[in-house]
Amino acid sequence: MDEQAALADRFETHRGKLRAVAYRMLGSPAEADDAVQETWLRLSRTDPGTVARVESLPAWLTTVISRICLDLLRTRASRREELVGDHVPDHVTRTAAATLTDADARGPEDEVLLVESVGRALLVVLDTLTPAERVAFVLHDTFAVPFDRIAPVVERSPAATKKLASRARGKVRGTPALPAAELTRHRHVVEAFLAAARGGDLDALLAVLAPDVVRRADPAALPLGTAPEIRGADAVARETVLLTANARYAALALVDGAPGIVVAPRGRLLLALRVTVDTGRVSSYEVVATHARLRHLALAVVPD
């Protein structure tokens, strides 16, 4: 076996972990695969003598793919700033929704990977971090990479890198607006609502909705001609059943400090539901869909 073939074999033993690192950083299976391939290309082009002197190939590969991911995240952030202002027209939001849904229909195995390996809500929250925060958090908190090895990747000192990860961790955890016991009770109600919505279970929805529940929504979140506000458990439950397709892309999250719901095909935030719970039932919920409003929501992972 020649040197290149032997190097390829060594690389293959690390492909799974590299893809896991890239997927958590990028939130996209396709982009993660591209990052892994670029890592292999850089390794294959490296002088064999240099490779032979590498003390730890896994650590070297993790550093390389992390830098690739950081560059991709920075490019993505730059494009987002250029393309998106303070408002996204409603028809653009609807088009994005259709595109994401179609993409998921073509790749259900990727959707399963997203839910099982990372978690939909976490991917949404990770997408709110700066590129350097995301890289530092993923490497340290998920893969236990020490800060002195992360520091060169994000071009910070180890102490500054530690602060980056800490800041990211704070954003991921969020700040609950409710006492712990009340937070747990509200979480159970929202979980019951989401489970009923996913199953299209009208009776279960009626059981978890207050009789005078109010549903408000940005027009961009609704089919054309649908009222932005409806009242009453029967009307809200029946509409929710009609929109069950969105529920399969939904996950529990902290929305402005309280249990709510994010709808995120492939981990990309499309809608958020601000849910109000009163006396053990959903008394109202608001569907936020415009970019200007979504980006001002405080989103975090619900604590266990």
Side-chain angles (χ1 to χ4, degrees):
M1 182 181 294
D2 62 24
E3 288 184 355
Q4 194 71 358
L7 188 61
D9 284 346
R10 291 179 66 192
F11 180 82
E12 286 302 315
T13 65
H14 304 295
R15 179 181 290 274
K17 181 180 178 181
L18 293 174
R19 190 176 191 274
V21 170
Y23 185 65
R24 283 159 178 78
M25 288 187 184
L26 300 172
S28 162
E31 289 184 340
D33 287 337
D34 289 345
V36 172
Q37 184 61 22
E38 177 61 24
T39 303
W40 159 246
L41 291 175
R42 294 190 186 186
L43 175 64
S44 66
R45 294 167 184 162
T46 302
D47 179 74
T50 300
V51 175
R53 290 192 296 271
V54 171
E55 292 184 7
S56 171
L57 184 60
W60 188 90
L61 292 171
T62 299
T63 297
V64 171
I65 201 165
S66 297
R67 286 173 172 157
I68 292 169
C69 291
L70 181 58
D71 287 344
L72 289 171
L73 289 169
R74 285 171 172 166
T75 299
R76 183 192 296 173
S78 177
R79 287 175 178 170
R80 189 176 296 167
E81 290 174 0
E82 292 173 2
L83 295 176
V84 180
D86 289 333
H87 175 70
V88 176
D90 291 349
H91 72 276
V92 174
T93 305
R94 292 194 187 96
T95 301
T99 301
L100 284 166
T101 302
D102 290 345
D104 275 280
R106 289 195 299 269
E109 70 286 350
D110 288 340
E111 180 68 7
V112 171
L113 173 65
L114 179 147
V115 173
E116 292 185 352
S117 70
V118 182
R120 198 184 305 273
L122 178 56
L123 280 173
V124 168
V125 177
L126 287 176
D127 209 34
T128 68
L129 305 180
T130 68
E133 286 173 346
R134 186 164 184 168
V135 169
F137 175 81
V138 168
L139 287 178
H140 183 266
D141 285 46
T142 305
F143 295 98
V145 178
F147 290 120
D148 60 350
R149 278 181 42 204
I150 302 172
V153 176
V154 295
E155 300 173 326
R156 306 282 208 288
S157 68
T161 302
K162 186 175 182 179
K163 289 181 181 178
L164 269 180
S166 177
R167 188 160 61 242
R169 195 176 306 116
K171 292 179 181 179
V172 170
R173 294 176 179 173
T175 304
L178 303 170
E182 189 176 358
L183 183 73
T184 298
R185 289 194 294 270
H186 285 209
R187 171 182 181 157
H188 290 160
V189 173
V190 177
E191 285 176 332
F193 171 72
L194 180 54
R198 283 179 178 148
D201 190 331
L202 184 61
D203 290 336
L205 282 167
L206 289 170
V208 78
L209 296 173
D212 56 351
V213 63
V214 180
R215 188 278 293 146
R216 300 181 179 88
D218 291 334
L222 300 170
L224 292 173
T226 303
E229 179 178 308
I230 58 174
R231 293 175 175 269
D234 187 70
V236 172
R238 291 185 184 281
E239 180 193 79
T240 303
V241 167
L242 293 175
L243 300 177
T244 293
N246 274 344
R248 62 178 169 151
Y249 305 117
L252 192 71
L254 278 186
V255 180
D256 287 342
I261 294 169
V262 292
V263 178
R266 295 186 179 270
R268 302 298 173 86
L269 182 62
L270 182 64
L271 310 169
L273 275 65
R274 301 176 64 179
V275 183
T276 302
V277 175
D278 187 21
T279 62
R281 289 188 173 188
V282 174
S283 60
S284 68
Y285 72 88
E286 179 184 18
V287 185
V288 180
T290 62
H291 175 77
R293 298 190 67 207
L294 285 171
R295 70 175 184 168
H296 285 102
L297 294 176
L299 301 176
V301 176
V302 177
D304 294 329

